[in-house]
Amino acid sequence: PPLTLAGRLVGAGDAVRSEALRLEVAGQPIALDVGVAPLSGAPVGTLVASGRGIETSALLGAFSKSAAEVSGPLRFDAQFRAPLAGAKPLLQVVNGTLDFTIAPGRFRGVSMLKDTIERSGPVVQAAVAAGQAFGGRDVKRMYSDEFQSLSANARVAGGIATFDPLRVVHAAHRVDVQGRVNLATRALDASGQIVFPNE
């Protein structure tokens, strides 16, 4: 993608570290702090990255040929470290955390609640209809691609990113998803629930 990297790399003894390093991806600014130490022996690389007010659709669109399906201002903080001298692929040895929030935002043309109910079969659909008939909520009025916030804290270790939970908060309900992603294959193993808070 179109990107610009500016800053300084400084050698200090048996280490290299960055100063005022800044990355722009498709015009979206990301602050970076990188280092490698020790340069002899078994070096370990560290990366700290953060961003505030980043437009999610612009960032995702820079890495994909298709239009980004998630939009909204993004805040994120990431910290990773990994040994650099071993034979294993980097994705298998990196460790760290990624914490992010998009608020507010939208899934372009996608209602998670609608998709969940429609894919759950006739029993769930009948229960929703019966609930409305007996004075329950009109669930269809909650079908929206907008959300108040999407957030997660992911832990990365052994080639796996684990999130517990990834939470999407809508005006009248929220979605909580627990699971893991294989970083090499991008295979997802997850489960979740839709929660309607008591009014």
Side-chain angles (χ1 to χ4, degrees), residues 73-92:
L74 167 68
R75 174 211 58 82
F76 80 91
D77 294 282
Q79 298 185 30
F80 298 107
R81 50 187 292 120
L84 303 179
K88 292 184 178 181
L90 184 62
L91 289 180
Q92 291 185 14

Side-chain angles (χ1 to χ4, degrees), residues 102-189:
I102 302 171
R106 64 184 294 231
F107 297 110
R108 184 172 58 90
V110 176
S111 168
M112 293 182 67
L113 180 59
K114 178 181 179 181
D115 282 0
T116 300
I117 291 175
E118 290 182 350
R119 292 171 184 263
S120 296
V123 174
V124 172
Q125 295 173 26
V128 170
Q132 182 180 348
F134 286 93
R137 304 181 190 187
D138 181 1
V139 175
K140 290 185 178 180
R141 295 182 62 183
M142 303 179 198
Y143 289 174
S144 172
D145 64 358
E146 297 180 350
F147 56 83
Q148 295 178 347
S149 66
L150 185 160
S151 60
N153 185 284
R155 302 180 304 279
V156 177
I160 301 294
T162 304
F163 47 93
D164 185 14
L166 182 148
R167 173 167 289 175
V168 186
V169 178
H170 294 267
H173 66 284
R174 75 172 192 266
V175 180
D176 290 340
V177 180
Q178 299 81 30
R180 41 195 276 155
V181 178
N182 185 304
L183 297 179
T185 65
R186 299 184 184 178
L188 173 66
D189 178 13

